[in-house]
């Protein structure tokens, strides 16, 4: 069975995900050499100062030269230009993957630039925080989380198995599905919830009868949890909505229908309908805790566990 180790891993984009992958590789001794590419001089300087990689380049083609595994960790909107830039430098037999939150867009934008003999396997680690940048990463980010791989039809099984083992060695469990199914699942579990958070925080900041000061002062009554999600990186989330349009609109359609039913239940004083829904939703929360995707500890917006330690020191 192919192992999780690579001689040389190249990470294009050194933000939360790129830097966390680098830390996880170092923790597990999964590569002999890590190179990175970052767009801005500021990010490259920080990456060099904290010794995130063995070498950091401005030109992504230089970073991928000789790499056995390349992972593109930029916002989804940059995938096409990045793939085009690295194409001539990709080593025959290398695996190229990405960490993007929309998989049909990765196939569409990276796919056409993959040369013969290079294995393209799109991926998405379902792990993150609202922080970004090269100093926000930590080795434990993927521990106990899922990483979804969406190999193209006809993909060779051995490189897929190797990438799977790599992510497992980074702490994740791996599931394989099609890019289309991934985008539908993530639309309801991640993209629509973020849109709701962005919307409710936007609405609250734009009210006439309730002041912004009051919104902040009394935020512990529920609003605060939405603000954590709504603090996520604007570029990344703009690109997600621009690139997962159909699936997000489909799920939003369902969401609006269900919201209208709730509105009706409130208007007509249908307490049973409200109570039944709120009971059903508690069961989903319990299932998430039982699946190990959250702890039952109340955090009231505060991080706990390994993440807390990391953030405390940040
Ligand atoms: P991030 O912290 O904002 O880092 C993005 C990195 O990409 C930075 O190094 C940035 O360089 C670089 N970059 C941005 N635009 C670029 C461009 N046009 N060309 C080349 N490089 C560019 O973002 P992240 O949270 O790590 O997210 C990276 C990817 O992982 C995204 O595709 C996202 O959808 C996916 N993802 C994110 C999460 C999450 O929760 N954050 C979870 C799973 C997957 P500079 O610093 O120089 O600007």
């Amino acid at each position: 069975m192919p192992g999780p180790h690579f001689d040389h891993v190249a990470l294009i984009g050194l933000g939360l995900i790129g830097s966390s992958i680098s830390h996880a590789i170092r923790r597990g001794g999964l590569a002999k050499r890590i190179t990175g590419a970052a767009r801005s001089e500021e990010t490259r300087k920080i990456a060099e100062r904290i010794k995130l990689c063995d070498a950091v380049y401005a030109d992504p083609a230089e970073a991928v030269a000789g790499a056995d595994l390349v992972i593109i960790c930029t916002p989804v909107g940059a995938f096409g230009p990045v793939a085009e830039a690295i194409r001539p430098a990709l080593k025959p037999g290398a695996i190229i993957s990405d960490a993007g939150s929309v998989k049909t867009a990765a196939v569409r934008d990276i796919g056409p630039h993959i040369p013969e003999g290079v294995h393209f396997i799109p991926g998405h680690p379902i792990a993150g925080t609202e922080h970004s940048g090269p100093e926000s990463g930590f080795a434990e980010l993927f521990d106990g989380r899922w990483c979804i791989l969406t190999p193209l039809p006809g993909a060779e099984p051995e490189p897929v198995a190797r990438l799977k083992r790599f992510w497992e060695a980074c702490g994740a469990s791996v599931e394989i599905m099609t890019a289309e199914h991934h985008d539908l699942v993530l639309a309801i579990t991640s993209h629509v919830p973020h849109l709701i958070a962005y919307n409710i925080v936007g609405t609250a900041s734009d009210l006439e009868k309730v002041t912004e000061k009051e919104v902040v002062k009394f935020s512990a009554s529920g609003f605060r949890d939405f603000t954590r999600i709504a603090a996520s990186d604007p570029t990344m989330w703009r690109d997600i909505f621009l690139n997962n349009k159909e699936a997000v609109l489909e799920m939003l359609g369902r969401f609006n229908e269900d919201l209208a039913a709730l509105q009706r239940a409130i208007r007509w004083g249908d307490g049973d309908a409200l109570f039944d829904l709120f009971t059903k939703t508690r069961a989903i929360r319990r299932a998430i805790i039982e699946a190990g995707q959250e702890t039952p500890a109340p955090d009231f917006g505060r991080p706990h566990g390994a993440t807390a330690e990391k953030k405390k020191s940040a």
Side-chain angles (χ1 to χ4, degrees):
M1 190 186 294
H5 302 91
F6 290 87
D7 279 338
H8 176 180
V9 177
L11 303 167
I12 311 304
L14 297 173
L16 170 71
I17 299 297
S19 63
S20 294
I21 295 175
S22 179
H23 290 302
I25 290 173
R26 291 245 171 87
R27 179 184 69 173
L30 303 177
K32 290 186 192 141
R33 178 172 166 78
I34 305 171
T35 51
R39 178 183 54 165
S40 69
E41 196 181 346
E42 191 193 349
T43 298
R44 293 195 296 275
K45 277 196 174 144
I46 295 171
E48 276 163 2
R49 176 171 52 75
I50 65 174
K51 299 187 171 43
L52 198 55
C53 305
D54 297 303
V56 180
Y57 301 91
D59 178 0
E62 282 189 62
V64 308
D68 310 289
L69 172 62
V70 175
I71 308 181
I72 303 178
C73 307
T74 65
V76 173
F79 281 0
V82 166
E84 193 177 0
I86 63 177
R87 176 192 189 132
L90 289 169
K91 183 172 134 177
I95 295 174
I96 171 163
S97 188
D98 70 292
S101 308
V102 186
K103 300 282 34 106
T104 51
V107 173
R108 181 195 65 205
D109 294 347
I110 300 174
H113 300 290
I114 303 300
E116 193 73 21
V118 170
H119 308 283
F120 172 42
I121 308 164
H124 178 203
I126 314 293
T129 72
E130 67 277 26
H131 302 288
S132 47
E135 290 182 289
S136 59
F138 51 101
E140 301 81 15
L141 181 66
F142 311 111
D143 287 350
R145 299 283 169 243
W146 287 97
C147 178
I148 298 177
L149 299 181
T150 63
L152 304 174
E156 282 181 38
E158 183 150 321
V160 176
R162 194 164 179 209
L163 188 61
K164 179 173 183 281
R165 304 251 305 141
F166 170 81
W167 275 109
E168 286 167 349
C170 288
S173 301
V174 175
E175 185 126 334
I176 294 184
M177 61 181 70
T178 64
E180 290 74 17
H181 191 65
H182 165 279
D183 288 358
L184 208 54
V185 172
L186 268 290
I188 192 61
T189 56
S190 170
H191 306 169
V192 169
H194 274 77
L195 199 69
I196 292 167
Y198 282 123
N199 190 47
I200 196 167
V201 175
T203 303
S205 69
D206 209 19
L207 295 172
E208 294 89 37
K209 291 187 185 158
V210 179
T211 66
E212 209 170 305
K213 220 167 144 193
E214 286 172 309
V215 169
V216 172
K217 186 169 166 187
F218 302 116
S219 62
S221 47
F223 182 72
R224 187 173 59 190
D225 291 347
F226 283 105
T227 62
R228 185 183 62 74
I229 298 178
S232 300
D233 187 70
T235 306
M236 168 180 156
W237 283 96
R238 177 203 61 195
D239 286 3
I240 287 174
F241 291 114
L242 292 180
N243 286 284
N244 198 19
K245 216 186 214 171
E246 265 108 64
V248 167
L249 291 177
E250 184 178 333
M251 290 302 170
L252 265 182
R254 280 294 305 269
F255 175 83
N256 283 328
E257 281 175 28
D258 293 343
L259 190 63
L262 272 178
Q263 226 172 333
R264 217 171 24 249
I266 294 170
R267 175 167 297 120
W268 296 109
D270 187 351
D272 288 349
L274 297 175
F275 188 85
D276 287 351
L277 177 68
F278 301 165
T279 307
K280 200 167 102 187
T281 54
R282 282 187 122 182
I284 292 189
R285 169 79 188 159
R286 267 199 303 276
I288 288 171
I289 293 167
E290 277 160 26
Q293 296 299 304
E294 172 65 301
T295 66
D299 66 16
F300 302 109
R302 294 179 201 100
H304 39 75
T307 320
E309 291 314 308
K310 166 78 195 168
K311 282 187 188 152
K312 262 190 243 156
S313 60

